[in-house]
Amino acid sequence: MMAASLLRRDKKSTAAHLKADLKRSDNSSGLRQLQELLDSVLNAERGSDPEALEWCKWLLAGGDGFDDFCRTVRSYDNATLCGLVWTANFVAYRCRTCGISPCMSLCAECFNNGDHTGHDFNMFRSQAGGACDCGDGNVMRESGFCSRHRLKTGENVPSVPRDLLLMSEMVLPRFIITIIQYLRDGYTEPESAADRDLQKVLQQLEPHISFLEELTKMGGAMRTVLTKILTNQQTFKELSMGQEENVYAKRNYEKYLSALKSSGLVSVEEKGAGAGATDTPSGAGALSLLGATAAASEEDSSKEEDPDGLQGVGQRKRVKLSSSTKDPSIMDTLKHKCFLEELLFWTIKYEFPQKMVTFLLNMLPDQDYKITFTKTFVQHYAFIMKTLMKSHESDTMSNRIVHISVQLFSNEELARHVTEECQLLDIMVTVLLYMMESCLIKSELQDEENNRHVVVNCGEALLKNNTYWPLVSDFINILSHQSVAKRFLEDHSLLLLWMSFVSFFQGMNLNKRELNEHVEFESQTYYAAFAAELEACAQPMWGLLTHCKVKETQEYTKTVVRYCLETLQMWFDAIGFVDEPALNQLTFHLPLHRYYAMFLSKGVKCQGLDLDSLLPDQEMLMKIMVHPLQIQASLSEIHSNMWVRNGLQIKGQAMTYVQSHFCNSMIDPDIYLLQVCASRLDPDYFISSVFERFKVVDLLTMASQHQNAVLDSEQERPMLEGALTFLVILCSLRIHLGMSDDEILRAEMVSQLCMNDRTHSSLLDLIPENPNPKSGVVPGSCSFEEMLSAVADFKAPVFEPGGSMQQGMYTPKAEVWEKEFDPIMVILRTVYRRDVQSAMDRYAAFLKQSGVHTGNPWPPYKERTPLHPCYKGLVRLLHCKTLHIVIFTLLYKIWMDHQNMSEHVLCMVLYLIELGLDNQVQDDKVEEEPCIEEHCHDSWFPGTSLLSNLHHVINFVRVRVPETAPEVERKRERERERETPPSTSSESSTFGQSSRRLTGNWRENLREAQVFSLVAERRRKFQEIINRSNHEASQAVRPKSSSSRWLPPGSPPQLVTEILEIRESMLSLLVKLHQKLSAKQNSLSLSWLAEVDPAHHAHGDGLTAIERILAKAAARSRHSKRCLQEICGKVCPPIPPKKNSPGDKKSMDKEERGQMSSRQEVKVEHKVSVAAFTSRDEKWVESPETDAVMDMGSAEPLDSEVLYDCVICGQSGPSTEDRPTGLVVLLQASSVLGHRCRSDTPKRLPTTDEEHIYPEDTCGATHDVRLSLMQRYFRDSSCLQSVSIGWDGGVYVQTCGHTLHIDCHKSYMESLRNDQVLQGFSVDKGEFTCPLCRQFANSVLPCRPGRGMETGAWHTPSNKSMSTLVKEVEDLQEQLGIFPVSASLKQRDPILAESNLSKEMESVIKDIKNTTQKKYMDYGKNPGSPDNDFLFMYSVARTNLELELVHRGGNLCSGGASAAAKRSCLNQLFHVLAMHMRLYSIDSAYNPWTRLTQSTHSRDTEYCGDERPEVPMLFRDVPSLLIIFILTMPQPLRKEHFTCVVKVLYSLQYTQALAALSIRFSCEERLAWSNTGAAKKNTPNSDISWESLLGHVISELTKAKDVYDTNSEETFVLSSSVWSPQSIEFSLQQFCLPFLRLSCLLQHHLYGDSLPGCLVDEEFSLLSGCLGLAGSVQSSGAMSSAACLEWNINAFDLISQWCSEVITLSDTPTQQSVSLLVQDPQWAAPRLLHLPDNYNTIFQYYHRKSCTSCGKTPKDPALCLVCGAFVCLKGHCCKQQGVCECVLHSQHCGAATGIFLLINASVIIIIRGHRFCLWGSVYLDAHGEEDRDLRRGKPLYLCEERYRVLEQQWVSHTFDHINKRWGPHYNGL
C-alpha cells in the first residue's frame, strides 16, 4: 500500500525522497519503502515492461537526471584498460611487434593514437569478435599503448563519494535477479519446444541487458559496484531461492533445478544425497552422461560395445580419469554460488546470445571480476562442450565461445593462476577426450577382424564441421604460456591421457584401394581428417615443442618420447601388427609417429640429447618404419594412377599431405623418422624393404623380360622412378639432420621461387613455418625479409599489352640458379607434378640465357650440408651391396634399352652414385668382419664401399626369365653352334681383378654366376635382427622366410634359369652410356681425364653428369683412374680424326637439310590451308602479277572503287548498293567529355566531412545550363541548332578496322545465337566479337559505295573569288529544297527507298539511338520532333570528333601519327549521318548561312507577334554550325566549298572571341581600345587588324543597355593585369583554336589530308595553314590571328549586324546575355578523381560512413571514381525499380559506364551497360601486391601507373577490349 502511493508520485521526487531516507544512519524505513517499491516495479511475472526500466534509471540517479548521473559517474572512471568489446566483422588491428600474446588486438582508435610506424601490423576483420587490449601489459608491450591508455589514469582520479552509488548498490541486485528469473522462466528443453521461443525470451530481455551494458560503459566506479553484486554469495542466496511466501519465485527456482538436471548436471544438494551419477562403475555410465550420447541409455551403450574392445578402452580411460583428476566430477557437477555463475549458466543454455556475451566481456577491465569470471568459465567448461555438441548453430556458438575464452586465456598470469587453482589442464584434456569419445569407431587397419584399436570417425559432424575447434584452440592458447606448458609436461598422468587422445587419430580415415569398380561415392571426409590432425594433434605438439628448446628441458623430451613409444607399442598390439603391412590399405594419419619424430629431432638438435638413448630396440624400429614407408610408396602409387578407381579425393589427400600448411607436420616428420630408422637398421634390409614396398622387385633383373605379379607394365616406370627418387630424398634431405633454421628457411624459399616467381604473400604462405599460430615469427636469427632479399630480386608490378596486370613478384637471383637450385627439395615440396617441370624449364631458360648450356639440362647435383654426428649411419645406405647391385642392374638395363627405363631413372641412379662418392663411410674396418652366414650377395661385390665397387667387373649373372625371352633363344642358338662359351681369360685379367677364369663347360658357370633376390635377402636380414634381439625366441616363429633363396615368392612356373654373360663394371657401363648418350664412338678419349675439372661440370645434361662422376671417381681413387684409362683405351682405339670427320659432316648436313626442308614444307602447307579456309567460295590464286596490278592501281588516283575484305567469307570487293560491306564497330554511350573541367588538376576525393566535390563546373553541366538558358528566350528550333549535346551520354563509335559483308554478318549472328556456349556478351542485344581479332562489337557501320576519300577533281584548288564560292555554297544548300518537306520523318527519297544499303544505314541509325538513354536525346520542347533528331545526329559527329581530339592529347601537335586515326571510322560515320540528316530541310528563311554572309537589315521588323526571336549569331556554337553545314550539303563536297564554309565561320568565331574578350576588360581599357580601333578603322586592311575590329565591337556593344555594366566590379578583379597587345593576341588565338582543331580533323577525315606535327606554340599558324585560312599577308614573325580573316562583304557592316541582334533583345535580362556571350570553348582533358596515397585514409573515412540516400551504413560501400559519389553496392535499401544503386549511378553519371572502388575490398569494378568486370586494384602494398578483400590487411599505397592505365582505358573507351572477364550483373550491383 505504501508502494502504491509511491508509484503514484512522479519518479524524480520519489527517487530523491528515497535517497534522502537511505542516507540517514537509521535507514530501515527507507529500505522497507524501497523493497516494496521494487517488489511492485520489478515483477518478473509481469513480463518485461519499459516502465520498470524507467524507474530503475530514476532510482539509480537518486533524484538527478539519468544523463547527469552518467556523466558524474564517468568522471570517477579509474580504468587503465580500453576493453572496448566488438562483435564479428568489426575492423580491428593487430601489431606483432607490440604483441606479447599473438591474439593481441586493438580498436582502430587506440591503434591510430599509438605509434606503430615501421611495425609489423595488419588490419583485420574480426571473425569471432574480440576486445581491445590497449593498456593491458600482460598481452602487449607498453610501448604500443595509445596516448590515452599510456597514462596510468587510476592514480589521479578522486575517490567516489559514498552516496553517489548508494542507490545502485540497493537497486541493481533486484534488477539482476529479475533478469535471471526471466531466463529461468523462459527456458524450455529443446525437445519439447521449438528453439524459436528462446529467441523470443531474449528479444524481450534485450532492453534490460542493454541497460546493464550501458552501466558497464560508465567506467570503473560502476563496474566495481556491479562486480560486488555479481560475486556476492550472500545476496545470491537470499534472492535466488525466493522467500517462503513468494510462490512465483519458488516455482521459478524449481525450473532452474530441473534445467540443471536435464543438462546432465547435478546440483550440490543432490550430490550430498548420494545420488551422484558418476559413481556408476562402468565406462558407459560416463559416456551416457555426455550430452552427445544422451539418447543412448546405459544399457544400450553397453550392449553396443564388444566385450574386449571398447569396454577396455573405456575402462582404461576411466581409470586414468580417476587417478589423474582429484575430483572425478569434472564432467558433471555445477554449484552456483553467485549471480555471475548463474548468469553464465544461462548464457550457455541460451547458446551464447551476443548481448549477454558483450555484457560479460565489457566487465573484464575490472580485475576482481576478471579472476572470478575466469574461474566460473572454467567451472562450466564441460557444460559448454556438451551444449556445443548439441547445438544446431555450432558455428556461431564456437565464435562466441572463443570470443570469451581468448580474452581470458591469452593472459599468462591468469592462465597460470587458473591452472593451479582450478585444474584447468585436467579439465581441458578430459573434456576433449570426452568430446572425441562420442564419435569413435573400430579401426580396420591391418587386422580387420580382430582390431582392438578405436579411431575417430571423420564422417561425424563433430569432425566435419570442426565443432571441436574452440576447445582445441583454447588448449593451444594456454600451452603457449611457458608456465602452463611446463606443468603439463611434468604431469605424467596428464601426458598419458593426452597420448590416448592422440591415438584416437592414429590411423583414421583409412583408404582401401579399389581394384575392380570405380568407387560409387567419393567421400570428402579426408579434409576433416587432415584438419583434425593439424589442429588437434600437431598444433598442441608445436606448442609444447616451443618450450623444449634448451638443455634444462631434457627431461620433458625424454618423458614424451617414452610415452610415445609405449602408446605406439600398444597401438601395434591393438591393430595386430607383426611385420608386414596389410595390402592396399593407406592412412595418412600417424600422429603418434610424428610426435615421436618431432621430439626426437628437437632433443638432438636443441637439447644435446644422444639419439641412441631415445631409440627403442631394432625390432620396434622395424615396426615404426613400416607405416611411414607405406605412405611414401602409396604416394608413388597414387601418382602412377594405381588408385584411380578411388576417385579424385585420393589425389586430394596425396596433395594435402605435402601441401605447405601440412608438410612440416606430416611428410617432414615421416621422412625424418625413416632417416632415423635407416641410420640404425641394417642397410641391406632397409634398401630391399624400400624396393619391395614400391613393388618393383621383379623389375630389378638383368633379363630383358620379366613378370611382375603386382604391377601393370605401364605402372612399373613411374613406381621405379618413385622408389629411386625417394631414396635420393632420404639420403640427401637434411631438414632435421643438421641444417640450421636459417639454412632451412633459405632452402624452402629457393625451392618455392624456382618453381615460379612468387608474390610476397604467397611466399609467406608457402614457406612452412611451425604451424603453431603462436610463433608469429619465423625461427632462426635471420628474418624472412633479409633472407628474401638475399635470394631473390623484386620485379615491380608491370602491365602486359593485353591489359592483364602483374603483381610485384620475386624471382631467384642468378647465383641462386647457379649454386642453390635443388631439384630434390623442389620434388619434395611440389603439390602438382607440373611444378617440377616448371622449375626445370625455368632452370633451362636461365642456363640458355647465361650461355652455360643450351640443350635440355638435367637436374643439377647439389652438395649437401654435413650430417649431424648422430645420423652418420645414414651414409651406410649408399654403401651397401644391395644398392650397388640395383645400381649395376639399372645401368645395364638402360644401356641395353630394356623396357620401362627412362631418363629420370638414369638421372636418379647417377645421383645416388654421386651421393655415395661424396659421402664415404669413415669407419671401414668394422665393415670387414667376416659374417657368420654366407650372404648370397657377397659374390657380387667384394666389399661395401661404392668407390671400390665401381670398378669391380661382374662376369656372369644367373637370371630367371620367361621361356619366350630372347635370352633363351640366344642360348639355344649358341648351343647349336658350339658347345663351349668363349674363354674370357685375357680380357678380364687386365682389369686387375682377381676374378676366376671361367673354363670348361657352360654348366660349371652355374656355380659362379651371381644371383640376386631382394626379397629373400630382406627376409634373411629380418630373421637375423629378430634373433639378435630376442635370443630366447624360437626361430620357427616366422615360417615366411623359408622361401627358396632366389625365387621370388609366388612366381609362375614357366620361368627358366638362364646365365647371362655380362663382363662389365659400373665404370665401364658408365663409359658406354656416355657413348650412347653422345651418339659417338669415341666420346671419351684418353686425354679427356687429364684435363677434366669437376667444377666446370656443375650444369648440363646426362653427359656432364657422367663425366662429373667419372672425374670424381678418378680423383678419389687411383685404382679407378687406372681402370678408366684402360676402359677408354679399349673402347675407343685412337683413330686419326681426319678420316671420319668429312663424312660425318656430310651426313649431318643432309640431316639438317632434311629437317629444314620439311619445316618449310610444313609452313607452306599451313599457309595453303589457312588461305583455303578463308577463301571458301573463291578460287585462291597467288601470283606476283596480281600484286603488281594492285600496286599500280593504288598509285593512280583514278575513280577506282575501294575494295574491302570480308573477314567471314574471305572475298574482297567493293561495297555495293545491294551487297553492302560494313565496318565492325562498337557503339557506346559516353559521358567522358561531359566530365571535363576547366583546370588541369583533377578534383580530390573527399576524405573528411569538410571536403566536397562540386559538379557544376563540368563541361556537361555548363552546356546544359547554356541550352536551357537559350530555350527560355529564343525559338526552340533555332536553339537546337545553336549548341551541341552529347557531352553526357553522347554516342562514341569505334572500330577494330575489319570489314565484313552485312549478309555474312547476319548469318554469323545467327550461328552465335544457336551456339550454346556461354559467351561473355549478349547476342540478343546485337553484341558479338569480331570474327578475326575477337574484339568486342555491337553493330556494323555500312561503307558507302564508291571511292574512298574525295580524290582527284575534288581536290583541285580553284581561283574563284570568295564571293562566288559563298554563292555556290548557298546554291548547294538550296538544293535541299528538292527533298519533300514534311512533318513525317519516314517519308524517304524514292530513289533510295529500296536499296539494301539504305536499309542498313537506317538500322545503324536505330542502333545509335538505342545506344544511349532517352534523356540524353530529348532536349527540345516537344520530344521526338525533327529538330530534336537533327540535334542528336550532328552531336554524334561532334562527340566523335571531340573524343578523337582528346585521344590525341587535346591538340593536333602530334600530327597524324595517332593510333586513333588508323582505325577511325569517322568517314563512314559521317556519310551515314549525312544520309540521315538530308531528310530534313532547313527552312531557307532561317538558314544561318545568309545571316553569316549577307547584311540584311530588313529582318528586324519580322519578330512580331508572340514568336520568339532566333538565337543571335554571336551566341551560337560555331563548331556545331560547321558540322550542320557539312552534313546537310550534298555529298561529296568539293574541298573549295569546305574551305569557304570554314572561312565564313572563322570570321564569326573571331568576332565572338572579340566580344568575349571585350567583356573581360575594365571600363578604362575598353575606352582606350575603342579609341585605338576607331583610329585604325580607315587604314587599308583594317578589316584584318584586330585593333580596328575590337574597337568596332566595343562601340557596337556599348549601344546595348548594360552589356558592359553588369559585372564591372567582378571583371575588374579578374583582370588585375593590364592587357598588352601580346596577351590579347594570345587569348584570341586560344579562343579560336578549338574550332580550328575540329575543322582540321574533319578535313583530315573527309579528304584524307595529312596532319603534320608541330610545336605547341606553332599550332595556330599550322592549322590555319592546313585549312587554307592563312592569307597572303603571313609575316615571318608571330602569326596574327586576324590575318586569317577573309570577308566577303564589308566586315564592319557584318559585325554591326551581328551585334545588333544582341542589342535588340530587349526582353532578355542582360546578365543572361552576357553569360551567353562569354563562352569559353577550352576544356582540360578528362581526369578521374585524385586519390590519397594511403588507402587507409579512404577506408577509415568511408567504411563506416552512412549512405546519403538510405542513411544506413552500407554492407558493401563503393565510391564512383569519376564523380566521388558514395553508393551501396548490392544494397537492397537503395534499389529503384529493381535496379541497385551502383548500376543506377553508372547510368546517371557515365551513361552506363561506371568505375567504382569497393571500399571493403580495395578493388575496382567496371560496369559497362549490362555487364561488369573486376578490374583489379590500384592500391598495392609495399611488395607490389593487391590485397583483395583486405584479407592480409597490410598498408596499401596508390600505384600511380595502374591508376593512369585505368584513367587511360576510361578516356579511350577500351574497357571492353582490354578486360576479358565480363559477366552480366542483372542490375544487382
Side-chain angles (χ1 to χ4, degrees), residues 441-461:
I441 49 169
K442 197 172 104 171
S443 166
E444 295 186 349
L445 185 65
Q446 204 63 29
D447 182 350
E448 292 196 19
E449 279 70 56
N450 308 322
N451 194 322
R452 302 195 314 280
H453 179 58
V454 287
V455 289
V456 292
N457 171 10
C458 301
E460 291 258 0

Side-chain angles (χ1 to χ4, degrees), residues 1287-1301:
W1287 309 104
D1288 284 325
V1291 178
Y1292 177 58
V1293 187
Q1294 56 181 326
T1295 175
C1296 57
H1298 295 126
T1299 49
L1300 29 71
H1301 289 124

Side-chain angles (χ1 to χ4, degrees), residues 1344-1526:
R1344 191 179 55 114
R1347 293 171 313 282
M1349 298 298 184
E1350 272 50 283
T1351 43
W1354 300 100
H1355 264 292
T1356 47
S1358 64
N1359 301 329
K1360 298 175 187 166
S1361 70
M1362 180 72 174
S1363 46
T1364 46
L1365 286 171
V1366 167
K1367 187 81 190 87
E1368 285 179 18
V1369 171
E1370 191 176 340
D1371 295 343
L1372 283 173
Q1373 291 184 339
E1374 291 300 318
Q1375 285 182 17
L1376 288 181
I1378 306 166
F1379 287 105
V1381 179
S1382 75
S1384 132
L1385 288 174
K1386 293 283 175 272
Q1387 205 167 350
R1388 284 267 179 248
D1389 167 10
I1391 314 163
L1392 291 175
E1394 280 77 42
S1395 83
N1396 285 334
L1397 180 67
S1398 59
K1399 278 195 204 124
E1400 288 315 322
M1401 291 199 165
E1402 222 174 302
S1403 85
V1404 167
I1405 294 287
K1406 207 169 6 226
D1407 283 349
I1408 290 178
K1409 287 182 176 168
N1410 289 339
T1411 302
T1412 187
Q1413 299 156 40
K1414 200 91 182 95
K1415 66 171 180 188
Y1416 293 129
M1417 289 158 49
D1418 287 338
Y1419 282 91
K1421 297 276 175 63
N1422 39 355
S1425 70
D1427 292 319
N1428 218 352
D1429 207 22
F1430 189 77
L1431 167 69
F1432 176 66
M1433 284 306 147
Y1434 75 74
S1435 293
V1436 170
R1438 176 74 182 270
T1439 305
N1440 284 281
L1441 282 170
E1442 290 274 5
L1443 276 168
E1444 186 175 332
L1445 260 178
V1446 168
H1447 298 163
R1448 287 169 177 271
N1451 57 31
L1452 294 180
C1453 298
S1454 57
S1458 152
K1462 285 195 206 78
R1463 297 190 166 174
S1464 168
C1465 49
L1466 273 168
N1467 193 342
Q1468 282 83 352
L1469 178 66
F1470 252 79
H1471 290 300
V1472 171
L1473 294 173
M1475 279 285 299
H1476 190 73
M1477 298 224 348
R1478 284 171 57 206
L1479 307 173
Y1480 312 113
S1481 71
I1482 298 180
D1483 186 342
S1484 52
Y1486 297 118
N1487 188 345
W1489 186 249
T1490 50
R1491 293 164 63 194
L1492 283 169
T1493 53
Q1494 300 165 22
S1495 58
T1496 50
H1497 291 288
S1498 52
R1499 285 270 182 92
D1500 294 348
T1501 53
E1502 283 182 21
Y1503 299 126
C1504 53
D1506 49 61
E1507 199 175 315
R1508 291 185 171 175
E1510 292 266 306
V1511 178
M1513 281 331 252
L1514 290 183
F1515 291 176
R1516 295 200 177 199
D1517 177 48
V1518 184
S1520 301
L1521 285 172
L1522 173 70
I1523 294 174
I1524 292 176
F1525 286 143
I1526 302 303

